[in-house]
Amino acid sequence: MIKVNQVYQTVLYILNKEQRGYVTPEEFNSLATQSQLDIFEKYFEDLNQALRMPPNDSEYANRVKTVQEKIDLFESSEVLGSTKTLSANVHRLGTLQYTETGKLPQELEQMTTHDLLLAQRSKLTAPTKSFPAFSIQGKVINISPSTISGNDVNVFFVKKPLDPIWGYTLGSVGNFIYNSNAYDATTEPNGSRDFEIPSIDQTELILKILMYAGVIIRDPSIVQTAASMVAQEDQNEKT
């Protein structure tokens, strides 16, 4: 993980070095959340591109392995439940797995609602407990056969990273004092939460925050420089 205080102090140092402006903790938290999400969503496109490139057997320079390890940090699973509704934790759906007592788990085949309805009309193609299927309507999972309980189905998915928070208390002169306590909305509303993306992306993260910060303080030179450096780093990763 990337330390939120380290990133904030770096951003402030770069902005203040030439008296460019100042970003408040609230502004930083918003920019940090958006920047982390930008990088996180790019993992999936990076993986898609890496899979289309010639194989690389290098242990430390295998791009597919590197990106997959980043995504693996956010993989999770949970029971679908009796309502057969996906929870708010599901950001990108993976597979659904049905486990019948005394038998090996069975992966459900995902189908469109139309195709599932067509399949159910024929005894030859209708899904069974041995070959189950499902479709999605919004957050609701339609499982076939309907006799399969949602409590017997595990959902494998990728969740979003939690929002980073640079927490603080106010000093005697109104200054912001970093609060290193772990953030807990119920007991420690002023605590902090580090970034959840891996440390390998720290440079790109800082550059993205600076790019957004340049918009806030209305300094186009910061926006252009940071955007150029982000683009260059993306190009280096793909060539």
Side-chain angles (χ1 to χ4, degrees):
M1 292 194 300
I2 303 173
K3 298 296 183 182
V4 68
N5 187 46
Q6 183 179 8
V7 173
Y8 187 35
Q9 297 305 326
T10 301
V11 169
L12 289 182
Y13 174 78
I14 294 174
L15 293 178
N16 293 335
K17 185 176 181 181
E18 298 181 6
Q19 298 182 346
R20 299 277 188 170
Y22 183 79
V23 174
T24 66
E26 286 78 10
E27 291 172 335
F28 171 80
N29 288 338
S30 296
L31 303 183
T33 295
Q34 182 59 49
S35 298
Q36 177 176 247
L37 189 58
D38 287 348
I39 295 173
F40 170 73
E41 293 293 355
K42 193 163 71 69
Y43 290 161
F44 303 96
E45 180 58 32
D46 289 346
L47 180 59
N48 185 34
Q49 291 188 6
L51 288 170
R52 297 201 301 265
M53 298 178 67
N56 183 343
D57 295 329
S58 173
E59 183 175 0
Y60 299 109
N62 187 317
R63 293 181 177 177
V64 172
K65 177 184 175 183
T66 298
V67 180
Q68 187 62 61
E69 287 176 346
K70 294 179 181 180
I71 297 175
D72 288 347
L73 294 173
F74 302 96
E75 289 188 337
S76 187
S77 65
E78 60 188 27
V79 175
L80 179 59
S82 58
T83 62
K84 298 182 180 179
T85 303
L86 296 176
S87 75
N89 295 327
V90 179
H91 180 60
R92 287 180 179 252
L93 183 64
T95 60
L96 269 61
Q97 191 176 84
Y98 165 62
T99 303
E100 189 175 6
T101 304
K103 295 186 179 181
L104 294 175
Q106 298 289 335
E107 182 177 325
L108 281 72
E109 179 185 358
Q110 182 171 358
M111 306 175 70
T112 65
T113 300
H114 175 70
D115 288 344
L116 184 58
L117 289 173
L118 289 177
Q120 291 171 332
R121 293 177 182 176
S122 169
K123 291 182 178 181
L124 294 176
T125 59
T128 64
K129 285 190 174 182
S130 298
F131 299 97
F134 76 97
S135 65
I136 304 177
Q137 289 181 306
K139 287 285 187 177
V140 177
I141 301 294
N142 299 311
I143 298 176
S144 183
S146 59
T147 52
I148 292 179
S149 169
N151 293 320
D152 295 326
V153 175
N154 284 322
V155 180
F156 296 86
F157 61 93
V158 173
K159 60 183 180 179
K160 286 172 57 176
L162 295 174
D163 295 345
I165 298 174
W166 192 87
Y168 64 91
T169 56
L170 288 176
S172 58
V173 293
N175 55 312
F176 301 116
I177 301 175
Y178 175 61
N179 186 339
S180 61
N181 293 329
Y183 177 81
D184 187 329
T186 59
T187 62
E188 189 57 54
N190 296 317
S192 299
R193 182 193 293 142
D194 291 329
F195 294 91
E196 291 197 325
I197 57 175
S199 57
I200 192 174
D201 291 319
Q202 181 165 330
T203 299
E204 183 177 359
L205 176 65
I206 292 174
L207 290 173
K208 279 188 172 292
I209 294 174
L210 284 170
M211 182 177 66
Y212 286 125
V215 176
I216 289 178
I217 64 178
R218 299 181 182 180
D219 191 327
S221 64
I222 291 180
V223 177
Q224 293 169 3
T225 301
S228 176
M229 294 178 71
V230 169
Q232 183 60 53
E233 184 163 325
D234 287 344
Q235 183 65 28
N236 291 340
E237 291 177 355
K238 297 174 182 177
T239 56

